[in-house]
Amino acid sequence: MGTTLKKCAELAIVFVLKRKQIAETVTSAEAEVDLKTLIQVIELQWQYEVSSQAANDLNINKWNKVTLVPLAGDLRLLKESLISKAKAAVAALTENKNNKDQYIILLETIYCRIILLNRRRPGELQRLSLDIYEKSDGKESNYEEFSQVISPTERILLKKFKRVVNRGKRGRGVPVLPVVLTYRNTKIALHYRENFFNKENLYLFGNPNSTETIWDYKTLSKYANSCGPKNRKAITSTRLRKHLATLTQIFSMSKNDLRVACSCYGSHHGRTQRQLSIT
């Protein structure tokens, strides 16, 4: 906020310099001096008199604030609702391949299901390019050389998930893991993609007939509200990540396991992860 006020004062100086008289009793020179004084005061005292006190008040208010995390029952309702709507959308597209509304529903349900499983930031998944997704396809054979050293559980996971690495916060690579059903629905969406997209839209989760992506948080909020959960406000991407961070603390993960888990987030270290779980 202090930076914004400083920018406003600088713009006001430019406005003053273009005029000789601001008001009947205030000259441009006087107004310029006052604005420069304001900028100097902001630079010298803002962090001590405003910023530090505001940060302290915000932290104090968090101490006794109830933390909302998604209920397991609500997440189950959301998942079942997404699967049901995706099936209906696929059936409608089979009958009419130019049904734009059903195609958007199919694309949005895929997006929400990946968010629900991976707890990704919406922007990271929202900007996943079609080129990156297609290049990651058909690489199952790369895992054959590890078949003798991985556990049976890991073999099952390799068959159930497709791994796509996308650019995350601060340029770090973050993995996205679509399950088999989501992967199949994505292939169906790509099959009908040419009916709704032009070549200029480079995003997997793009908005039909445009070059932009779908609305990230609005999409998740729309389907979260429509499934009839007990606590709608708790189903957001931020609270989903907080929910996962809380689980890592409940499981008493070791530092190494926590570091590996944090690397999947592609953004922060264990300290931030622990902070997420207690705020």
Side-chain angles (χ1 to χ4, degrees):
M1 184 176 178
T3 304
T4 304
L5 287 175
K6 183 180 174 182
K7 291 292 183 183
C8 291
E10 291 173 348
L11 291 173
I13 290 176
V14 175
F15 174 77
V16 166
L17 293 175
K18 293 180 179 179
R19 304 184 63 176
K20 294 182 179 180
Q21 196 80 13
I22 302 301
E24 294 182 358
T25 58
V26 181
T27 63
S28 297
E30 292 174 345
E32 182 182 355
V33 171
D34 291 341
L35 289 169
K36 288 183 177 179
T37 302
L38 174 62
I39 292 174
Q40 189 174 9
V41 170
I42 291 174
E43 291 177 345
L44 296 176
Q45 295 297 322
W46 182 270
Q47 60 177 328
Y48 303 110
E49 297 188 8
V50 180
S51 296
S52 59
Q53 186 61 42
N56 186 49
D57 291 342
L58 289 173
N59 289 329
I60 291 175
N61 291 335
K62 286 182 180 179
W63 290 350
N64 296 310
K65 185 178 179 180
V66 177
T67 301
L68 293 177
V69 293
L71 299 174
D74 289 347
L75 296 180
R76 178 180 57 81
L77 285 175
L78 176 58
K79 178 184 176 182
E80 292 175 351
S81 175
L82 292 172
I83 293 174
S84 175
K85 290 181 179 180
K87 288 181 178 179
V90 170
L93 285 170
T94 303
E95 295 179 359
N96 180 11
K97 64 179 181 180
N98 294 316
N99 193 328
K100 180 180 176 181
D101 292 337
Q102 292 301 318
Y103 182 84
I104 293 175
I105 291 175
L106 176 61
L107 203 62
E108 289 178 342
T109 54
I110 295 170
Y111 175 83
C112 290
R113 288 199 64 193
I114 295 177
I115 286 284
L116 192 61
L117 174 65
N118 291 264
R119 312 297 169 95
R120 293 260 69 83
R121 291 185 180 86
E124 293 173 352
L125 185 60
Q126 176 190 16
R127 291 185 290 271
L128 176 61
S129 69
L130 179 63
D131 182 61
I132 290 177
Y133 183 84
E134 290 180 336
K135 284 182 178 178
S136 65
D137 200 3
K139 292 186 177 181
E140 289 80 0
S141 59
N142 293 344
Y143 299 115
E144 292 180 0
E145 58 186 281
F146 302 107
S147 59
Q148 301 300 322
V149 295
I150 60 177
S151 66
T153 303
E154 290 170 334
R155 292 193 187 98
I156 295 174
L157 291 175
L158 286 175
K159 294 179 181 179
K160 289 288 185 181
F161 291 96
K162 169 184 170 65
R163 186 173 184 268
V164 182
V165 179
N166 190 35
R167 186 182 186 277
K169 189 176 181 180
R170 298 179 182 175
R172 298 175 182 174
V174 291
V176 178
L177 304 175
V179 294
V180 173
L181 180 58
T182 308
Y183 176 54
R184 291 173 182 170
N185 287 342
T186 306
K187 292 187 71 173
I188 295 173
L190 292 178
H191 176 71
Y192 294 108
R193 180 182 174 90
E194 61 181 9
N195 298 330
F196 308 99
F197 285 86
N198 53 46
K199 295 182 179 180
E200 295 178 356
N201 194 314
L202 305 177
Y203 301 105
L204 176 64
F205 297 104
N207 201 8
N209 299 326
S210 75
T211 58
E212 302 297 328
T213 62
I214 61 177
W215 286 97
D216 45 11
Y217 67 93
K218 289 185 178 180
T219 300
L220 180 60
S221 177
K222 178 175 71 173
Y223 288 94
N225 292 334
S226 65
C227 70
K230 293 182 179 179
N231 193 346
R232 299 180 181 181
K233 294 182 179 180
I235 305 180
T236 64
S237 60
T238 301
R239 290 193 170 99
L240 285 172
R241 290 168 62 81
K242 186 183 289 290
H243 177 252
L244 187 57
T246 303
L247 289 177
T248 61
Q249 297 300 304
I250 295 174
F251 293 154
S252 299
M253 298 175 66
S254 65
K255 289 184 178 181
N256 185 57
D257 290 339
L258 188 60
R259 180 183 59 80
V260 174
C262 290
S263 67
C264 293
Y265 283 89
S267 60
H268 51 64
H269 304 287
R271 179 175 57 83
T272 309
Q273 183 83 348
R274 290 189 293 271
Q275 186 67 24
L276 269 174
S277 66
I278 61 177
T279 56

